[in-house]
Amino acid sequence: MNFRSDNTAAVAPEILKAMSAVNEGAARAYGADDASIALDAAFGALFEREVRVFTVATGTAANAISLAALTPPWGAVLCHEGAHIACDEGGAPEFYTAGAKLVLMQGAGAKVTPEAVLEAAGRHARGVHSVKPSVLSISQSSERGACYTPSEMAALGEAARAAGLGFHVDGARFAAAVAALGCAPADITWRAGVELLSFGATKNGAMAAEAIICFDPARAEEIERRRKRGGHLYSKGRYVAAQLLAYLEDGLWLKLAGRANGFAQRLGAAAQPWLSVPVETNQVFIKPGAEGLAKLRAAGAEFYDWGPPGGEEARLVVSWDQPEAEIAAMEAALAALA
Amino acid sequence: MNFRSDNTAAVAPEILKAMSAVNEGAARAYGADDASIALDAAFGALFEREVRVFTVATGTAANAISLAALTPPWGAVLCHEGAHIACDEGGAPEFYTAGAKLVLMQGAGAKVTPEAVLEAAGRHARGVHSVKPSVLSISQSSERGACYTPSEMAALGEAARAAGLGFHVDGARFAAAVAALGCAPADITWRAGVELLSFGATKNGAMAAEAIICFDPARAEEIERRRKRGGHLYSKGRYVAAQLLAYLEDGLWLKLAGRANGFAQRLGAAAQPWLSVPVETNQVFIKPGAEGLAKLRAAGAEFYDWGPPGGEEARLVVSWDQPEAEIAAMEAALAALA
Amino acid sequence: MNFRSDNTAAVAPEILKAMSAVNEGAARAYGADDASIALDAAFGALFEREVRVFTVATGTAANAISLAALTPPWGAVLCHEGAHIACDEGGAPEFYTAGAKLVLMQGAGAKVTPEAVLEAAGRHARGVHSVKPSVLSISQSSERGACYTPSEMAALGEAARAAGLGFHVDGARFAAAVAALGCAPADITWRAGVELLSFGATKNGAMAAEAIICFDPARAEEIERRRKRGGHLYSKGRYVAAQLLAYLEDGLWLKLAGRANGFAQRLGAAAQPWLSVPVETNQVFIKPGAEGLAKLRAAGAEFYDWGPPGGEEARLVVSWDQPEAEIAAMEAALAALA
Amino acid sequence: MNFRSDNTAAVAPEILKAMSAVNEGAARAYGADDASIALDAAFGALFEREVRVFTVATGTAANAISLAALTPPWGAVLCHEGAHIACDEGGAPEFYTAGAKLVLMQGAGAKVTPEAVLEAAGRHARGVHSVKPSVLSISQSSERGACYTPSEMAALGEAARAAGLGFHVDGARFAAAVAALGCAPADITWRAGVELLSFGATKNGAMAAEAIICFDPARAEEIERRRKRGGHLYSKGRYVAAQLLAYLEDGLWLKLAGRANGFAQRLGAAAQPWLSVPVETNQVFIKPGAEGLAKLRAAGAEFYDWGPPGGEEARLVVSWDQPEAEIAAMEAALAALA
């Protein structure tokens, strides 16, 4: 029963097959191959508008390059205190932005509110002595598995605009959110004012395929330059492009995400008495007490402790390829706690 | 007849198969999987000593992170004026080093000499007003397809030591050099004083597999931190590790490189009258005149112009999977020039 | 009644005179003049040990260069949430460190405790995914006018050592602290484990004279390089050196600071009912209510609001050259509030 | 006979006096004082148009901040291979630009030509694989004491525009050039397309007073932010402002520069047989042979060797306060060589 993280999962067979399929003879390097060229159109169709797509090796790179395109070095990135960019990227945003500051906000479910954004932006707008609030970055779905609805996204976009901030979304688990919300991808991105999206596929069945979706053509050159400079322009671009094309084809991405979300709901139901936050996507957070955690582990469950030390909280992440048997076993283990 | 670059080639079947082979169930993330863990030992055996191996997405990343570990921001990287790090990486070395300067040297075959290294180091050692010469970086094989012999490497290592410089090798085409020289990898790396090697596999049959080989344990933590910070720590590490393990297994890397080198020798023989430099590895540089180049292209050959504009020089790169028929056809096209 | 800040004050006549005194004929540039050379010995005498002294133009530069010498780019600087380096330097620490992160701690009087240091260091030591706690930076006297006693400093130094942190002191108002504590400068610096001190003179009577006092000879070269690179190596070094020599001569620095501290005590006594924090040095923080603040301003007092918006708090800073009449007038204005 | 450099000279009495004159009571900090506020108008009058003036501590800071405002991190700064920014600033341009590359050009008298600019810009415009030519930076007067005439400046400005480059002038010795050319400052700056000028006063009689003259209002905020971030925003701004106001008043700057230029002409006449380049401003370069240099030194002359080691060339710099007796003595020493 491995619920450590969705990045411990394997690659979906459809995606692996697509990679093999492009492994034929020579192809132009550095994104001039057919598969790479097809990305803009494929994502354009998905997002119902023209977009530019820039593949990179990791979600950290997608986030950091996006942020660097939206803030000057003397700027501030506003984000939740539990955001991946703040806690888990080893300072990559600071590196790529040449030293911008992350200003941390609080909020339930690892989500931020328009009010918090306006307050934080206002607090730091003190001329040259302070950094300059420059971009809002949120995670969709959030680090607590929560989603921003289209109307919440629109309100955040409005707040960002009012405060003169760019708007970036860390979509490492974007599929989980779209599958859960059942909305159009456009509704929670550019229609709400999002300029750059880190579109993640790796956690949901790809091998290593992350893309910066650029809704603002004026920023494309800068992203391209920063990607090259960061060492993220693949020479053999066809293989990462093939992953993404297969990921989108026939809605594979939503099928995989939907399966994981559904399993997480089952776990959530079984863990009802101990849930720390409602289950919205493929992450389940529980507080069954120290003894409860020990029992779950004794039953064979693997997972990470979460939150501050001593908080006795666990995170269970369901992967796209989680065996149904593991879900059933975990349901039983949870039932045994009661 | 595609001689554009070895990065237009496909992935070797042995490598693709190895990637499929690890695609089974869950595996620990971020390099804690079995394949990733096996890298240190596999490369240790290859280099006949303990090493640390850090995979990254591209050769540019391997180079830039290595250089950043060997020079402070106020330092200078000494390299050939035609080096990939100087000409083709979009400023990645400057980015990762936080602004170190590249000091350019000249030399035949895109190789540098100990004398040039000592001169350049001496010229820039003028206290705080100048940058501080900090690292020598060479390409093995070079951007002109030339190799440094073990004794040349030892002399460069000696010069670097004398000048207080670290020593880095850009081995994007390291296999081509080892196959051509027939030496032990150790003889042209740590035995000659090399501290960090960018070990490239992508140009010689891998999909996207580059590694920093660290011969100095004291630098390992810094490289690990810089890699994460650059967004180059793969979450699903098993797939890149599998590529490298398959690449080394049963000498596949030297078999592939040897084949390309051999074909290049055939082209070199056919192009004898127009060779700009001797053919040592898988790159062939020719100057058959503007008309000659036009005829080759008319015959179906694809390749890049090389050198300064108007130089009427061409670069032909042979790939690991170059069809023998293309070599024969090119031989015929070259013969027709005479 | 100007209590805006001590940096609105003029230059002490002794210091201005010393600047004129060195204005004779030619002098070697870039710190090779006699006055500059005398700095190491003068500060060595003050600190009772060998030190290296590096002058810079501003306290922000002194802090940022010091921090850059004590943390790698992937490191974290631990400091109080109200620290000057965190709030008032426009991101200079992030710039000079090439993107280190500031981790904020809380604490009364803008002071931090060893417990808070250990907790913050522990919380961020999560391997490559997080930044690496690297340096503790405190302000002496603090942004709330409080001092760390020698034993508090020793305890902080012990905590820093235990957590593997460097130790930096922002001494923009170091004189105020020493004058208040009556201790040896050594007792609150290197004897407590401090490695680098930003020694400020500008706020206490100099024109523009700040120095990095380096207690660790191994860091001297790096500081020298970073200073040059930041554009802080004066060509005509004699003038800034003359300021600092005059500042130290005959205890001028403590005389000036003592006068300001004494006046602040008078204000503190007059403002007793509304003090937010005890008065320890030359800063006085009061909360006499919105009406009270308005009355003080109506009486001719100039000062800044302090703390979060709506907090109705004021900061009164006494300068070295504050006319005694202004103190008396302010006492009267405060008395009128009661 | 000290001809080491003009930065070994003292401060002009008019300037020192002006600094004392502003030393009266309190003044607003951070450039809000009267003297600082007067700078824009004073320089506006000098340049016959609206300008924004940003004081910094050194010429290195003025250059580096200016360049950072004109190039992205992935850009290239085109400059002469002997430029101060390339050779003598310890990598400050690379630091402030976050890693831009300096592309070096050659040219007589340390001057560059429009042809060289166009060639260098063209050579590096190879898409994302190379850096992006972004700014032309020249020195006026040059590191060889040469001046660009208004028409030469116009031609360079035209080339910069054609190549999509910004245009910066390092005016550490701007006064020497204006005094020699007898032109309006506007003629060799904004009228020729210059966007940012590093206006130096320190080498010509000030204590430490350098200013970025911004002819493009759109760049003002960025410069202000970068200055603060570099630690170059003086808290007590009145003293540096007073220096610059006195420097301009009644043409003091041109009087001082004219005197030094005139003396240099006398040296140039005396050194006629050994001049390496014509004498245009206050620098004289001679090649009287190793024996000649030894004799001059034996006669009491102090100066730096110049150019490549073994070149047996000397640089003589005349300062604003050079005693006439030293000129006469040097004339005699030179005459004795013949």
Side-chain angles (χ1 to χ4, degrees):
Chain A
M1 292 189 288
N2 169 31
F3 298 106
R4 289 177 175 276
S5 182
D6 32 15
N7 59 25
T8 64
V11 176
E14 295 89 339
I15 291 173
L16 200 59
K17 197 173 144 196
M19 296 174 78
S20 294
V22 294
N23 195 43
E24 279 294 314
R28 297 217 166 201
Y30 298 118
D33 65 279
D34 294 343
S36 296
I37 288 170
L39 287 174
D40 284 1
F43 278 89
L46 183 69
F47 283 98
E48 308 171 48
R49 58 160 286 167
E50 201 176 335
V51 300
R52 291 291 305 279
V53 179
F54 299 94
T55 59
V56 293
T58 66
T60 292
N63 288 338
I65 293 172
S66 294
L67 294 174
L70 292 171
T71 178
W74 56 89
V77 178
L78 278 56
C79 64
H80 192 277
E81 62 179 1
H84 199 265
I85 59 170
C87 303
D88 297 302
E89 302 191 346
E94 286 88 348
F95 174 44
Y96 275 86
T97 60
K101 191 190 281 282
L102 272 64
V103 167
L104 308 182
M105 299 176 286
Q106 299 181 311
K111 289 169 61 180
V112 300
T113 62
E115 293 69 35
V117 171
L118 293 171
E119 188 279 329
R123 185 158 37 91
H124 283 81
R126 296 179 297 108
V128 296
H129 299 280
S130 74
V131 290
K132 181 178 184 173
S134 297
V135 53
L136 167 65
S137 179
I138 64 156
S139 299
Q140 173 79 307
S141 57
S142 84
E143 287 75 8
R144 280 290 197 171
C147 299
Y148 293 90
T149 65
S151 67
E152 285 174 329
M153 287 299 296
L156 283 173
E158 186 54 44
R161 219 172 0 255
L165 306 174
F167 195 2
H168 164 256
V169 170
D170 174 356
R173 295 191 180 95
F174 190 70
V178 174
L181 293 166
C183 66
D187 292 340
I188 51 172
T189 54
W190 63 271
R191 280 195 192 120
V194 173
E195 289 155 294
L196 295 174
L197 166 68
S198 298
F199 182 94
T202 309
K203 283 187 161 77
N204 188 37
M207 181 181 287
E210 307 284 314
I212 300 167
I213 311 298
C214 175
F215 300 112
D216 177 356
R219 299 193 192 278
E221 189 203 340
E222 176 167 353
I223 293 170
E224 208 166 0
R225 295 274 183 181
R226 289 192 182 275
R227 177 177 63 166
K228 173 68 188 178
R229 196 166 168 78
H232 283 281
L233 176 59
Y234 282 114
S235 58
K236 297 184 172 176
R238 52 178 141 169
Y239 301 98
V240 65
Q243 291 178 62
L244 288 168
L245 295 174
Y247 185 67
L248 296 188
E249 196 171 315
D250 295 333
L252 176 65
W253 68 303
L254 294 179
K255 196 177 74 183
L256 299 178
R259 182 175 184 276
N261 284 357
F263 280 177
Q265 288 297 338
R266 283 178 53 181
L267 295 187
Q272 190 60 43
W274 312 289
L275 285 182
S276 343
V277 291
V279 177
E280 299 186 36
T281 54
N282 66 323
Q283 300 189 74
V284 180
F285 294 85
I286 56 173
K287 285 190 173 181
E291 205 183 331
L293 294 176
K295 281 185 187 169
L296 291 174
R297 283 185 164 120
E302 294 177 18
F303 51 82
Y304 286 115
D305 290 329
W306 210 250
E312 300 181 351
E313 183 170 12
R315 182 188 72 158
L316 312 176
V317 189
V318 180
S319 297
W320 72 269
D321 62 353
Q322 198 87 41
E324 200 276 343
E326 292 192 8
I327 300 298
M330 192 66 178
E331 285 175 322
L334 287 162
L337 290 190
Chain B
M1 292 188 290
N2 168 32
F3 298 106
R4 290 176 177 276
S5 183
D6 32 16
N7 59 25
T8 64
V11 176
E14 295 89 339
I15 292 173
L16 201 58
K17 198 174 143 195
M19 296 173 78
S20 294
V22 294
N23 196 43
E24 279 295 314
R28 296 217 167 201
Y30 299 118
D33 64 280
D34 293 342
S36 296
I37 287 170
L39 286 173
D40 284 0
F43 278 89
L46 183 69
F47 283 99
E48 307 171 47
R49 58 160 286 168
E50 200 177 335
V51 300
R52 290 290 307 278
V53 179
F54 298 94
T55 59
V56 294
T58 66
T60 292
N63 288 337
I65 292 171
S66 295
L67 294 173
L70 291 171
T71 179
W74 55 89
V77 178
L78 278 58
C79 64
H80 193 276
E81 63 180 1
H84 198 267
I85 60 169
C87 303
D88 297 302
E89 302 190 346
E94 287 88 347
F95 174 44
Y96 275 86
T97 61
K101 191 190 281 283
L102 271 63
V103 167
L104 307 181
M105 299 176 285
Q106 299 182 311
K111 289 170 60 181
V112 300
T113 62
E115 294 70 35
V117 170
L118 293 172
E119 188 279 328
R123 185 157 37 91
H124 283 81
R126 296 180 296 106
V128 296
H129 299 280
S130 74
V131 290
K132 180 178 186 174
S134 298
V135 53
L136 167 64
S137 178
I138 65 156
S139 300
Q140 173 80 305
S141 57
S142 84
E143 286 76 8
R144 280 292 197 170
C147 298
Y148 293 89
T149 65
S151 67
E152 286 175 330
M153 288 298 296
L156 283 173
E158 187 53 44
R161 217 169 4 252
L165 306 174
F167 195 1
H168 164 254
V169 170
D170 175 357
R173 294 189 180 97
F174 189 71
V178 174
L181 292 166
C183 66
D187 292 341
I188 52 172
T189 54
W190 62 272
R191 281 196 192 119
V194 173
E195 288 154 295
L196 296 175
L197 165 68
S198 298
F199 183 94
T202 310
K203 284 187 160 76
N204 188 38
M207 182 181 288
E210 307 283 315
I212 300 167
I213 312 298
C214 175
F215 300 111
D216 178 357
R219 298 192 194 279
E221 190 204 338
E222 174 166 354
I223 293 170
E224 207 167 0
R225 295 275 184 181
R226 288 192 182 275
R227 176 177 65 168
K228 173 66 188 178
R229 196 164 166 80
H232 284 282
L233 175 59
Y234 283 113
S235 58
K236 297 184 173 176
R238 53 178 143 169
Y239 301 98
V240 65
Q243 292 179 62
L244 288 169
L245 294 174
Y247 185 68
L248 296 189
E249 195 170 316
D250 295 333
L252 175 65
W253 68 303
L254 294 178
K255 197 179 73 183
L256 300 179
R259 182 177 184 273
N261 284 357
F263 280 177
Q265 287 297 337
R266 283 176 55 180
L267 295 188
Q272 190 60 43
W274 311 288
L275 285 183
S276 340
V277 291
V279 176
E280 299 186 37
T281 54
N282 67 323
Q283 300 190 74
V284 180
F285 294 85
I286 57 173
K287 284 191 174 182
E291 206 182 329
L293 294 177
K295 281 184 187 170
L296 291 174
R297 283 183 165 123
E302 293 176 18
F303 49 81
Y304 286 114
D305 291 329
W306 210 250
E312 299 179 352
E313 183 170 10
R315 183 188 72 158
L316 312 175
V317 188
V318 180
S319 297
W320 71 270
D321 63 352
Q322 198 88 39
E324 199 277 344
E326 292 192 10
I327 299 298
M330 192 66 178
E331 285 175 321
L334 286 162
L337 290 189
Chain C
M1 292 189 289
N2 169 31
F3 298 106
R4 290 177 176 275
S5 182
D6 31 16
N7 60 24
T8 64
V11 176
E14 295 89 340
I15 291 173
L16 200 58
K17 199 174 143 194
M19 296 173 79
S20 294
V22 293
N23 195 44
E24 279 295 313
R28 296 217 168 201
Y30 298 118
D33 64 279
D34 294 342
S36 297
I37 287 170
L39 287 173
D40 283 1
F43 279 89
L46 182 68
F47 283 99
E48 307 171 49
R49 57 161 285 167
E50 201 177 335
V51 300
R52 291 291 306 280
V53 179
F54 299 94
T55 58
V56 293
T58 66
T60 291
N63 288 337
I65 293 172
S66 295
L67 294 174
L70 292 171
T71 178
W74 56 89
V77 178
L78 278 57
C79 64
H80 193 276
E81 63 180 0
H84 199 266
I85 60 169
C87 303
D88 296 302
E89 302 190 347
E94 286 88 347
F95 174 43
Y96 275 86
T97 61
K101 190 190 282 283
L102 272 62
V103 166
L104 307 182
M105 298 176 287
Q106 298 182 312
K111 288 169 60 180
V112 299
T113 62
E115 294 70 35
V117 171
L118 293 171
E119 187 279 328
R123 184 157 38 90
H124 282 81
R126 296 180 295 108
V128 296
H129 299 280
S130 74
V131 290
K132 181 178 184 173
S134 298
V135 53
L136 167 65
S137 179
I138 64 155
S139 299
Q140 172 81 307
S141 56
S142 83
E143 287 75 8
R144 280 290 197 172
C147 298
Y148 293 90
T149 64
S151 67
E152 286 174 329
M153 288 298 295
L156 283 173
E158 187 54 43
R161 220 172 0 255
L165 307 174
F167 195 1
H168 164 255
V169 170
D170 174 357
R173 294 189 180 97
F174 189 71
V178 174
L181 293 166
C183 66
D187 293 339
I188 50 172
T189 54
W190 63 271
R191 280 196 192 118
V194 173
E195 289 154 294
L196 296 175
L197 165 68
S198 298
F199 182 94
T202 310
K203 285 187 160 77
N204 188 37
M207 182 182 286
E210 307 283 315
I212 299 167
I213 311 300
C214 175
F215 300 111
D216 177 358
R219 299 194 193 277
E221 189 204 338
E222 175 165 353
I223 293 170
E224 207 166 0
R225 295 275 183 181
R226 289 192 183 275
R227 176 177 64 167
K228 174 67 189 178
R229 196 166 167 79
H232 283 282
L233 175 59
Y234 283 113
S235 58
K236 297 184 173 178
R238 52 178 141 170
Y239 301 98
V240 65
Q243 292 178 62
L244 288 168
L245 294 174
Y247 185 67
L248 295 188
E249 196 171 316
D250 295 332
L252 175 65
W253 68 303
L254 293 178
K255 198 179 72 183
L256 299 179
R259 183 178 184 271
N261 283 356
F263 280 177
Q265 288 296 339
R266 283 178 54 182
L267 295 188
Q272 191 59 44
W274 311 289
L275 284 183
S276 343
V277 291
V279 177
E280 299 185 36
T281 54
N282 68 322
Q283 301 189 74
V284 180
F285 295 85
I286 55 173
K287 286 191 173 180
E291 205 183 331
L293 294 177
K295 280 185 187 168
L296 291 173
R297 283 184 164 121
E302 294 176 18
F303 51 81
Y304 286 115
D305 290 330
W306 209 250
E312 299 181 352
E313 183 169 13
R315 183 187 73 158
L316 312 176
V317 189
V318 180
S319 298
W320 72 270
D321 63 352
Q322 199 87 42
E324 200 277 343
E326 293 192 9
I327 299 299
M330 192 65 178
E331 286 174 321
L334 286 162
L337 289 189
Chain D
M1 293 189 287
N2 169 32
F3 299 106
R4 290 176 176 277
S5 183
D6 32 16
N7 59 25
T8 64
V11 176
E14 295 89 340
I15 292 173
L16 201 58
K17 200 175 141 193
M19 296 173 79
S20 294
V22 295
N23 195 43
E24 279 294 314
R28 296 215 167 201
Y30 297 119
D33 64 279
D34 293 343
S36 296
I37 287 169
L39 285 173
D40 283 1
F43 279 89
L46 182 70
F47 283 99
E48 308 171 46
R49 58 160 285 168
E50 200 176 336
V51 300
R52 291 290 307 278
V53 178
F54 299 93
T55 59
V56 292
T58 66
T60 291
N63 288 338
I65 293 172
S66 295
L67 294 174
L70 291 172
T71 179
W74 56 89
V77 178
L78 278 56
C79 64
H80 192 276
E81 63 179 2
H84 199 267
I85 59 169
C87 303
D88 297 302
E89 302 190 346
E94 287 88 347
F95 173 44
Y96 275 87
T97 61
K101 191 189 281 283
L102 271 64
V103 166
L104 308 181
M105 299 176 285
Q106 298 182 311
K111 289 169 59 180
V112 300
T113 62
E115 294 71 34
V117 171
L118 293 171
E119 188 279 329
R123 183 157 39 89
H124 283 81
R126 296 180 295 108
V128 296
H129 298 280
S130 74
V131 290
K132 181 177 185 175
S134 298
V135 53
L136 167 65
S137 178
I138 64 157
S139 299
Q140 173 80 305
S141 56
S142 84
E143 287 75 9
R144 280 291 198 170
C147 299
Y148 293 90
T149 65
S151 67
E152 286 175 329
M153 287 299 295
L156 283 173
E158 186 54 44
R161 217 169 4 252
L165 305 174
F167 195 1
H168 164 254
V169 170
D170 174 358
R173 294 190 180 97
F174 189 71
V178 174
L181 293 166
C183 67
D187 292 341
I188 52 172
T189 53
W190 63 271
R191 281 196 191 120
V194 173
E195 288 154 294
L196 296 174
L197 166 67
S198 298
F199 182 94
T202 310
K203 283 187 161 75
N204 188 37
M207 181 181 289
E210 306 284 315
I212 300 167
I213 311 298
C214 176
F215 300 112
D216 178 356
R219 299 193 193 278
E221 190 204 339
E222 174 166 355
I223 293 170
E224 208 167 359
R225 295 275 184 182
R226 289 192 182 275
R227 177 176 63 167
K228 173 66 189 178
R229 196 165 167 78
H232 284 282
L233 175 59
Y234 282 114
S235 57
K236 297 184 173 176
R238 52 178 143 169
Y239 301 98
V240 65
Q243 291 178 62
L244 289 168
L245 295 173
Y247 185 67
L248 296 188
E249 195 170 316
D250 295 332
L252 175 65
W253 68 303
L254 294 178
K255 197 178 73 181
L256 300 178
R259 182 177 184 273
N261 284 357
F263 279 177
Q265 287 298 336
R266 283 178 53 181
L267 295 187
Q272 191 60 43
W274 311 290
L275 284 182
S276 342
V277 291
V279 177
E280 298 185 36
T281 55
N282 67 322
Q283 300 189 75
V284 179
F285 295 85
I286 57 173
K287 285 190 174 182
E291 207 183 329
L293 294 176
K295 281 185 186 168
L296 292 174
R297 282 184 166 123
E302 295 176 17
F303 50 81
Y304 286 115
D305 291 329
W306 209 250
E312 298 180 353
E313 183 170 11
R315 183 187 71 158
L316 312 175
V317 189
V318 181
S319 297
W320 73 269
D321 62 352
Q322 198 88 40
E324 201 276 343
E326 292 192 8
I327 300 299
M330 192 65 179
E331 285 175 320
L334 286 162
L337 290 189

